Structure formats: structure tokens, C-alpha cells
Amino acid sequence: MAKTLALPKDQLVQQALSQMQQTLADNTWTDRQKLALTCRILFENGHDSGLAGQITARGPQPGTYYTQQLGLGFDEISAGNLLLVNEDLEVLEGHGMPNPANRFHSWVYRARPDVNCIIHTHPTHVSALSMLEVPLQISHMDLCPLYDDCAFLEGWPGVPVGNEEGELIAGALGNKRAVLLSHHGQLSTGASIEEACVIAQLIERAARLQLLAMAAGEIKPIQPELGREAHDWIARPKRHTAAFNYYVRQNLRRHADCLN
């Protein structure tokens, strides 16, 4: 006999969350390996744009973070060729130079102590949407981790290598997980590398769906209370880790070298 068919939704949600905590696996990769894996995952999912874009994660000491070398594409990043830099973009470990646009990451990290990973990329659909100077519209259940959690910077400040751009982008992000940057791209953040990777994947999918829906007609909004419910249901550390682990399994078939 079934025992749960008469239970209210909130009780079923709590049961499912408890089961997720007990059964969904974590992972044992180092931060360097997770960053390298993230680069390869994003490369395979439309975030590649030549040498544009930066992916960073906080380093072992305050005011430091890991990032990729300028001159290497996302598909060339490995745990061993990442750089450790300080807020002045001076290299503390590794060889080569970081992307000068990493400067605005320092401003975001300073403004958001809760953020441990930042992903800035120029994926095709995000970039196309950014050219229209319209905010991201979240109107599908799968995308709800971004519901009311993606900011919008309408004015393009130019090449983001100055401190002014860092202050502007950090201010536009505010307390949200992501920001769509007009005429530019996207910035996703996370309390973990796994979370930032998943959010970056979602924002490109959201932009693609928005462009498809706008071409067909008027996008209908979802009810705010349901959007918030779905946001809180999906946007959980265990779910982010499970999704990241799945992306890793997909990509290790072609990119096992990135762990070295």
C-alpha cells in the first residue's frame, strides 16, 4: 500500500530534500581541477569565444584567486597551467600572465564575501540577447535558479580593464547570482565552483530559449510565488554538485587531460 499519496506538498518536499542530502554524491577534485573541468565543460557548451572570458576561484590566501593564462583557450586549460594571482594581477604561482580584464573580478570578490567563484564568458545566445539591451526573462521551470536572481547592466562601459568598470559591474550584480551585460556577455557567481558552473550553463540556455520564444510571440511570465518556489527547490548545493558531476562525466570522455 502506498504511504505518501495523501501527504501535503511541503512534507513531500522536505522528504525529498532529506533524501538528496543522504544520497547525492559529493566529489573529491581539488579547486584547481574543478576550475579546469569547468573550463572544458563551458567550452563544450557554447561559452567559447576565442580568448575572451575569465574563470576565477578564490585562492588559499585572502585577496588571491586562481585563473587561466591569457593566450590559452578554455579547451587548453588544465589544473597544472592555472595561475594564482593577487588583486593587482601579479602572478604568485605559475607562468604567463592573466587576462587584464580579471581586474573586475577583484571588485566583485571584495563586494561579495559569499562568492567563491566567478565565471565571465561571451556565449553566443547571451551575446546576441545582450545586443538587444533587454533583461533576461525567466519563464521556464528549468531556469528558475535564475528567477529574480539575474541582474542587468544596460549601459556598456567599454573594455573592462579599469577599476571603474569593476565598481560598475560589482554594483550592477548587487546580491544576485548573475548579471547580463549589454553588448558584452554574462557573469555568473557561486558559493562554490560547482554552483557557478551550473549557473553559467543555465544563463546561456535561458538566453537561447528567450530568443526562440521572442521570435515566436510574446513571452508570458510565470507567477512570482511559483518562480520563487522553483528557485529555492532547484538552487541547492547538493543539486548544483550533482549537476556538475554529471557535466564532468560527460566531458572527461574527451578532456581527461585537464586534471593534470
Side-chain angles (χ1 to χ4, degrees), residues 35 38 42 47 55-56 115-119 177 186-203 240 244:
L35 277 179
T38 295
L42 296 179
H47 287 257
I55 303 176
T56 64
V115 166
N116 289 307
C117 181
I118 298 169
I119 297 174
R177 278 186 171 89
Q186 67 83 29
L187 185 145
S188 298
T189 69
S192 67
I193 297 170
E194 291 93 331
E195 179 181 14
C197 179
V198 170
I199 295 299
Q201 292 277 69
L202 279 178
I203 196 171
H240 293 321
F244 180 81

Side-chain angles (χ1 to χ4, degrees), residues 9-61:
K9 184 176 182 178
D10 59 345
Q11 189 171 342
L12 292 171
V13 166
Q14 290 307 313
Q15 285 186 5
L17 291 176
S18 176
Q19 191 173 10
M20 286 181 203
Q21 285 297 120
Q22 295 172 23
T23 61
L24 292 180
D26 293 323
N27 59 61
T28 58
W29 296 299
T30 67
D31 284 352
R32 282 179 173 270
Q33 290 174 325
K34 290 178 187 178
L35 277 179
L37 287 163
T38 295
C39 287
R40 304 300 181 98
I41 289 166
L42 296 179
F43 173 80
E44 293 287 352
N45 287 275
H47 287 257
D48 177 56
S49 183
L51 301 181
Q54 316 91 39
I55 303 176
T56 64
R58 290 190 190 269
Q61 300 298 325

Side-chain angles (χ1 to χ4, degrees), residues 30-98:
T30 67
D31 284 352
R32 282 179 173 270
Q33 290 174 325
K34 290 178 187 178
L35 277 179
L37 287 163
T38 295
C39 287
R40 304 300 181 98
I41 289 166
L42 296 179
F43 173 80
E44 293 287 352
N45 287 275
H47 287 257
D48 177 56
S49 183
L51 301 181
Q54 316 91 39
I55 303 176
T56 64
R58 290 190 190 269
Q61 300 298 325
T64 67
Y65 50 87
Y66 295 109
T67 190
Q68 77 269 33
Q69 297 178 38
L70 181 63
L72 296 181
F74 286 171
D75 59 323
E76 298 178 297
I77 300 303
S78 67
N81 64 30
L82 287 166
L83 304 176
L84 180 67
V85 302
N86 62 22
E87 292 182 317
D88 295 317
L89 303 185
E90 296 170 333
V91 177
L92 306 177
E93 292 179 11
H95 303 283
M97 68 172 287

